[in-house]
Amino acid sequence: MVKKNKINRIGIITGGGDCPGLNAVIRGVTKPAQDYGMNVFGIIDGFEGLVEGKAKELNNKDVSGILAQGGTILGSSNKGDPFHWPVIKEGKIEVVDKSENALRNYRTWGLDAIIAIGGDGTMHICNKLGKMGMNIVGVPKTIDNDLEATDLTFGHDSAVFVVSDALDRLHTTASSHHRVIVVEVMGRYAGWIALNGGLSGGADIILIPEIPFSWDKVYQKINERELMGKRFSLVCVAEGAKPKDGTIVIKGTDKKRTDPVQLGGVGELVAKNIEKNTHRETRVTVLGHLQRGGSPTPFDRILATKFGAFAIELAAEKKFGRMVALKGSEVKNVKIEDAISRQKLVQPNNQAVRTARAIGISFGE
Ligand code: F6P
């Protein structure tokens, strides 16, 4: 059955860092498209493809069997912001505006709308492209779970699963060797992955950006555990965590990225200071991109599929400038403009934090 509509050709793009569940969204958009009388055009390598004119038709065959596949079959990039396009001139990186190229390709391809799957960076770009005349429907994704407008983003549960599994494994080796093991996890400026991963993996100390920690309280917790006969400790530290009197640890900067700052290294610092000040043998594990790779959890597969199918419904109804969002247990839609106004951070007194404190987990406060 072909439903009556005037939207014939819909682009789909995956922007920013990848995460488990992107393919489930692509499938969730492409499979119902026929019913709406639409064809789907996959834009390659995120906004790079929109600026440089790289895209291909997507049909049911292309999306068959990709539900459980990690990454994105379309490719992605966090360096392709059309409004901040890096070019190398005389050996130096210069930033230019390529948004007119993006608009030209949108028109040349005959697109009626684009479904853009991405995090806050992607939604900022979408908001600006919308103002230039493109019809956009946003789908939020990020392992960091830091988008205010949605209760959850797909990818987060899969990342938490990796952290939880890693902590389970590190628990046995830490306890056998009577060591402290520090696990550094991703999340940028938000502590959701460390908090939820640490809670589910039984960390003894969780350090998050929203609760700057005191070094002495961290050492105290490890020493207290030792006095209680617990000769090992697990510390789950978010990459954006910082001590009360210190700053965030930055691995480097790259002007070509949409967000030039690369976080990383706090795990090493925490491990070094713990060993020096508690005299306990300490090791560090940085989980890095393991948290972004691989198959999505069942929860993320379902959420991503719901997001995809709802996004094409919104496009068919011409509800542009909107982003799908989970509100409670329902998928709703919000204005993209409102979705990017605020980052969702862990409230230092939220239920998960209170629960963690109640069972004796230290935040180094
Ligand atoms: O936003 C997702 C994320 O994985 C962050 O948690 C992390 O800081 C960043 O991306 C890493 O980005 P990249 O893969 O570009 O180094």
Side-chain angles (χ1 to χ4, degrees):
M1 180 196 52
V2 175
K3 291 173 194 160
K4 202 171 155 231
N5 71 87
K6 290 202 184 75
I7 303 291
N8 298 314
R9 196 161 169 77
I10 192 118
I12 184 164
I13 191 165
T14 48
D18 70 326
C19 82
L22 289 170
N23 285 327
V25 180
I26 297 170
R27 175 176 172 270
V29 166
T30 308
K31 286 205 164 197
Q34 228 177 356
D35 266 357
Y36 289 105
M38 295 182 195
N39 53 49
V40 181
F41 207 51
I43 299 163
I44 309 295
D45 293 344
F47 290 100
E48 250 179 57
L50 188 60
V51 169
E52 292 178 340
K54 298 183 284 180
K56 61 176 183 191
E57 300 283 347
L58 279 187
N59 54 42
N60 274 359
K61 229 169 120 195
D62 296 312
V63 300
S64 178
I66 65 168
L67 174 63
Q69 201 176 307
T72 160
I73 57 163
L74 293 175
S76 193
S77 165
N78 52 17
K79 292 182 180 157
D81 180 348
F83 300 91
H84 291 93
W85 187 267
V87 285
I88 301 183
K89 270 193 189 158
E90 290 160 11
K92 281 194 185 154
I93 297 170
E94 219 175 86
V95 172
V96 297
D97 186 345
K98 289 266 188 181
S99 54
E100 282 302 327
N101 293 44
L103 188 61
R104 201 177 313 126
N105 284 324
Y106 176 86
R107 290 190 175 139
T108 308
W109 291 330
L111 297 180
D112 297 306
I114 288 181
I115 292 178
I117 314 162
D120 55 345
T122 296
M123 294 308 144
H124 271 99
I125 295 169
C126 288
N127 195 36
K128 292 199 243 172
L129 292 176
K131 287 186 178 144
M132 291 176 72
M134 288 191 210
N135 294 325
I136 308 273
V137 173
V139 176
K141 69 88 218 181
T142 166
I143 61 166
D144 304 338
N145 195 35
D146 59 352
L147 281 174
E148 177 70 35
T150 181
D151 289 352
L152 268 173
T153 42
F154 65 86
H156 180 64
D157 188 60
S158 304
V160 167
F161 180 81
V162 171
V163 176
S164 176
D165 181 56
L167 283 168
D168 285 349
R169 289 168 191 276
L170 294 167
H171 191 143
T172 60
T173 168
S175 84
S176 305
H177 282 266
H178 318 300
R179 281 172 170 164
V180 177
I181 295 194
V182 176
V183 184
E184 180 184 306
V185 305
M186 283 184 165
R188 291 199 75 71
Y189 308 106
W192 296 107
I193 299 178
L195 175 62
N196 292 328
L199 251 182
S200 88
D204 305 298
I205 299 174
I206 298 175
L207 304 177
I208 58 174
E210 295 88 342
I211 307 179
F213 61 90
S214 135
W215 286 112
D216 285 342
K217 296 286 178 188
V218 171
Y219 310 146
Q220 188 182 321
K221 175 72 185 176
I222 290 163
N223 290 332
E224 273 170 19
R225 282 179 54 79
E226 187 80 15
L227 286 175
M228 282 158 56
K230 298 188 172 169
R231 297 173 58 206
F232 72 97
S233 291
L234 290 175
V235 184
C236 184
V237 55
E239 61 182 358
K242 58 176 187 297
K244 272 183 182 154
D245 48 359
T247 49
I248 215 159
V249 183
I250 290 171
K251 191 156 63 181
T253 51
D254 178 355
K255 279 195 191 158
K256 293 203 253 30
R257 293 158 54 102
T258 308
D259 179 351
V261 177
Q262 265 181 296
L263 299 179
V266 68
E268 196 65 55
L269 177 73
V270 168
K272 203 178 85 199
N273 279 348
I274 287 175
E275 188 159 272
K276 189 168 154 218
N277 291 284
T278 66
H279 310 291
R280 314 264 172 253
E281 196 174 36
T282 305
R283 295 288 186 267
V284 60
T285 299
V286 180
L287 291 180
H289 291 83
L290 282 174
Q291 295 158 97
R292 290 223 313 243
S295 192
T297 58
F299 179 88
D300 280 342
R301 293 180 200 191
I302 295 167
L303 184 60
T305 304
K306 282 184 182 170
F307 275 7
F310 192 52
I312 195 150
E313 197 178 317
L314 289 180
E317 289 169 1
K318 297 187 178 170
K319 289 193 175 146
F320 301 125
R322 314 288 299 180
M323 183 188 88
V324 306
L326 185 71
K327 299 280 183 191
S329 54
E330 285 286 298
V331 179
K332 306 235 161 135
N333 68 90
V334 295
K335 261 174 107 172
I336 292 181
E337 200 150 7
D338 296 341
I340 56 177
S341 58
R342 213 152 56 99
Q343 219 184 5
K344 182 174 66 188
L345 298 176
V346 175
Q347 293 305 308
N349 224 6
N350 85 5
Q351 195 171 34
V353 175
R354 293 200 312 272
T355 304
R357 286 190 190 113
I359 59 166
I361 296 173
S362 165
F363 287 90
E365 306 162 90

